[in-house]
Amino acid sequence: MPNLTFRYIGSQDKFVTSELVISDVCSKCNNEKLSKLDSYFCSLYDKYFKKFHEEKKQFIFEYDYDLLLRSLLKIIFNSSRTINSEDNFFENFKHFILHGNETWGNVIILLDIITPWITKGIKVYPTSMRCGIVDVGIKNENFIIRVLTVNSFYFYILISKEKTLSETLVEELNNIYNRIPGSIIHPYKTQTLISDFSNQNSYDAHVEFVMNTSEAFYKLYKK
């Protein structure tokens, strides 16, 4: 996994240089259940994530959907607990994260690729790992959107709050879906052609975050 110089905690609006640790996970769950997800995600890093994409060129992404979704949800769940540890929506996925073998028709994964920004002849690569809320510019009361990024790879997870999607929510779903970039990761296949991309580069993907957290960043280095 990438070597991170610092980490940002959004709920506290501060950067830290230490590892973020979730301390209330039982050793059995961590060693027997969750370590499998960590190993799987690391294997994806070695195969895909550590290599930056220089251009938005279609490619085949191979995966185990069960392990991929559980790995993404595990990271999102842990991240969300730094903000809200009580009445957390992602508690609904705890059993699935640990044990798998469930079907979630209310979850969509999309994958987008971010390319380097070239400025004054220098390539600035999207070197980061982030997890956060996505604002698509419209109200989405019945859906939750998260993004999990590892270097060039941007995974968007769109979740309906209702496990069974009702017909009344289809229009809202379509409006949100059309605002999220990337190719859908097919839940019943082991590989997907990644061919739909946004036009974002590393500058576009990071500039808002950098501007919104610049004061917190300066506080870290004033210490």
Side-chain angles (χ1 to χ4, degrees):
M1 297 299 288
N3 293 319
L4 303 178
T5 306
F6 44 78
R7 296 151 187 86
Y8 178 70
I9 305 174
S11 59
Q12 302 175 36
D13 189 28
K14 73 175 184 179
F15 285 91
V16 297
T17 56
S18 59
E19 290 282 351
L20 301 180
V21 179
I22 302 296
S23 59
D24 62 348
V25 179
C26 71
S27 59
K28 183 177 181 180
C29 291
N30 197 42
N31 295 330
E32 296 182 11
K33 305 290 185 180
L34 299 179
S35 62
K36 182 179 181 181
L37 301 183
D38 295 337
S39 296
Y40 177 71
F41 205 71
C42 285
S43 73
L44 289 179
Y45 180 84
D46 290 338
K47 185 175 182 179
Y48 292 108
F49 305 157
K50 71 179 182 181
K51 302 170 186 174
F52 291 99
H53 281 239
E54 299 284 347
E55 56 184 334
K56 296 180 185 287
K57 183 178 179 181
Q58 67 181 27
F59 67 99
I60 297 292
F61 178 63
E62 297 179 338
Y63 53 89
D64 179 307
Y65 189 84
D66 181 83
L67 291 175
L68 175 63
L69 179 56
R70 289 166 63 196
S71 298
L72 295 175
L73 288 173
K74 170 184 174 285
I75 298 170
I76 291 170
F77 178 40
N78 286 341
S79 175
S80 70
R81 293 176 64 198
T82 67
I83 301 172
N84 179 21
S85 59
E86 297 182 4
D87 193 27
N88 188 321
F89 173 81
F90 293 98
E91 289 274 351
N92 297 317
F93 296 100
K94 280 181 66 174
H95 185 272
F96 172 65
I97 291 170
L98 287 171
H99 305 286
N101 296 319
E102 295 181 48
T103 300
W104 293 87
N106 62 328
V107 179
I108 298 174
I109 304 175
L110 298 100
L111 173 58
D112 188 27
I113 294 296
I114 300 299
T115 48
W117 171 46
I118 302 176
T119 175
K120 298 180 180 179
I122 299 173
K123 286 186 179 181
V124 180
Y125 288 90
T127 309
S128 66
M129 181 172 180
R130 293 189 291 162
C131 180
I133 298 170
V134 178
D135 182 2
V136 293
I138 58 174
K139 293 179 66 175
N140 50 293
E141 298 176 351
N142 299 295
F143 295 88
I144 291 175
I145 315 165
R146 294 291 185 271
V147 62
L148 195 154
T149 80
V150 188
N151 295 336
S152 293
F153 286 70
Y154 276 53
F155 290 95
Y156 292 89
I157 298 88
L158 172 59
I159 307 171
S160 167
K161 293 180 181 179
E162 295 183 7
K163 190 167 184 180
T164 302
L165 190 66
S166 63
E167 291 186 7
T168 58
L169 298 181
V170 172
E171 183 177 356
E172 183 181 349
L173 171 63
N174 288 334
N175 288 336
I176 295 170
Y177 169 76
N178 289 331
R179 292 169 176 260
I180 300 175
S183 302
I184 289 182
I185 303 299
H186 199 294
Y188 302 113
K189 294 182 179 179
T190 57
Q191 61 179 35
T192 291
L193 177 66
I194 307 302
S195 57
D196 294 326
F197 307 106
S198 69
N199 59 4
Q200 287 196 324
N201 59 32
S202 57
Y203 174 85
D204 304 317
H206 290 88
V207 62
E208 184 176 357
F209 172 77
V210 171
M211 292 178 66
N212 290 339
T213 62
S214 59
E215 185 175 342
F217 182 78
Y218 291 139
K219 286 180 181 178
L220 173 68
Y221 281 94
K222 285 181 180 178
K223 292 182 180 179

